[in-house]
Amino acid sequence: MKKINIAIDGHSSCGKSTIAKQLAKYFSYLYIDTGAMYRAVCLYCLQTKIILDGVIDKKRLLSELNQIEVSFQYNSDKNVSETYLNGMNVEQEIRGLWVSENVSKISKIKAVREKMVSIQKAIGQHRGVVMDGRDIGTVVFPDAELKLFITASLKERAHRRHAELQDVSLEDIIKNLEDRDLDDSTRTENPLKQAKDAIIIDNTKLSIDEQFKRILNYCEQAMK
Ligand code: DC
């Protein structure tokens, strides 16, 4: 079977990483969570007060961008690849609310995107990568052999997220998802949009297992 790149895009909390991890494990491919890279840059900005009271000092960010090193290391105990910021494992910290509330300010900056996209392209040059994000099929791997655009209703995505974050109200989660959807799809730099040749998977009514089986078929066709 041919080694391919699999590009997975879609809205926040629609299960992109779940299917990406399943596919990477099944085919022994490398899984790259590109959202984690923008989160790590955001964490750097919060730690160094480049973002202060929700306001970003863009000039400072641009001057320090070459000091921000984001990488991944495979954790064989947990069987996952973890995100590192300047050599420190930040896998837990980047998932917190502090980062989630500020990350879209970072992911819309052109110079940040250019830096992340060039790292992502380099990772994919030998194929065998499953990458998820917002611009993978359109910008990072426009030549990916398989492009998936995952979607689910806002209500379903909010319920799934609520099950994970029980101390946050459903209303707050819906509001946060609506804001992030709007930010992701309306920003000037590489907005979230479906690649022309992407296959749309609406998983509102699909179980994780049903989705996996359906996508496995597409993978096997693309690998022929
Ligand atoms: O998928 P996530 O919530 O971890 O993404 C974090 C942020 O990064 C979110 O604002 C969307 C943005 N993002 C992006 O702009 N491009 C990507 N390829 C991946 C994520």
Side-chain angles (χ1 to χ4, degrees):
M1 271 205 277
K2 185 171 78 176
K3 215 174 182 189
I4 66 168
N5 278 341
I6 304 175
I8 304 183
D9 291 301
H11 292 107
S12 298
S13 299
C14 64
K16 296 185 295 292
S17 69
T18 303
I19 182 65
K21 283 181 199 157
Q22 283 178 310
L23 294 175
K25 187 166 176 213
Y26 188 85
F27 292 111
S28 299
Y29 276 19
L30 182 65
Y31 165 56
I32 299 292
D33 168 3
T34 61
M37 300 172 71
Y38 294 98
R39 286 174 179 269
V41 177
C42 180
L43 180 65
Y44 175 93
C45 293
L46 289 165
Q47 287 173 338
T48 56
K49 299 195 169 31
I50 286 179
I51 298 179
L52 194 59
D53 299 328
V55 179
I56 175 162
D57 182 342
K58 205 170 153 190
K59 209 167 148 207
R60 233 187 98 201
L61 171 57
L62 298 187
S63 77
E64 290 183 31
L65 197 53
N66 61 4
Q67 297 169 30
I68 308 178
E69 196 219 327
V70 180
S71 58
F72 293 97
Q73 274 184 41
Y74 188 69
N75 178 333
S76 53
D77 292 341
K78 293 188 185 158
N79 206 15
V80 288
S81 104
E82 296 182 322
T83 315
Y84 282 69
L85 169 64
N86 291 341
M88 295 281 291
N89 185 331
V90 291
E91 190 54 40
Q92 289 301 317
E93 269 179 288
I94 59 168
R95 308 291 164 192
L97 208 59
W98 197 34
V99 170
S100 298
E101 284 175 350
N102 287 284
V103 64
S104 65
K105 297 183 189 79
I106 296 295
S107 62
K108 61 173 71 149
I109 297 176
K110 189 169 186 228
V112 173
R113 297 206 73 85
E114 282 172 354
K115 175 167 171 156
M116 298 301 120
V117 168
S118 85
I119 298 171
Q120 292 154 8
K121 281 180 182 283
I123 293 173
Q125 65 186 333
H126 302 300
R127 297 288 190 274
V129 176
V130 185
M131 197 174 275
D132 77 14
R134 308 293 190 285
D135 56 348
I136 313 304
T138 50
V139 178
V140 181
F141 296 157
D143 58 350
E145 291 79 0
L146 180 63
K147 298 181 187 176
L148 302 168
F149 191 88
I150 313 284
T151 154
S153 72
L154 178 67
K155 206 169 142 200
E156 179 62 26
R157 287 188 282 139
H159 279 290
R160 290 178 193 164
R161 196 97 186 93
H162 192 231
E164 291 167 6
L165 299 170
Q166 271 138 0
D167 49 344
V168 186
S169 76
L170 186 62
E171 290 68 33
D172 284 352
I173 292 177
I174 291 177
K175 172 82 181 75
N176 177 264
L177 284 179
E178 279 175 336
D179 289 349
R180 290 167 69 188
D181 286 356
L182 190 70
D183 268 347
D184 282 346
S185 10
T186 57
R187 67 167 177 240
T188 328
E189 297 302 325
N190 309 1
L192 168 66
K193 66 173 188 251
Q194 190 199 317
K196 283 196 188 77
D197 48 350
I199 297 166
I200 303 181
I201 308 282
D202 182 339
N203 65 25
T204 308
K205 297 202 169 87
L206 288 181
S207 70
I208 290 178
D209 207 38
E210 284 167 336
Q211 168 173 263
F212 180 59
K213 283 191 186 127
R214 187 174 297 186
I215 292 178
L216 214 48
N217 271 324
Y218 291 122
C219 290
E220 281 161 358
Q221 280 169 32
M223 288 174 183
K224 270 185 195 155

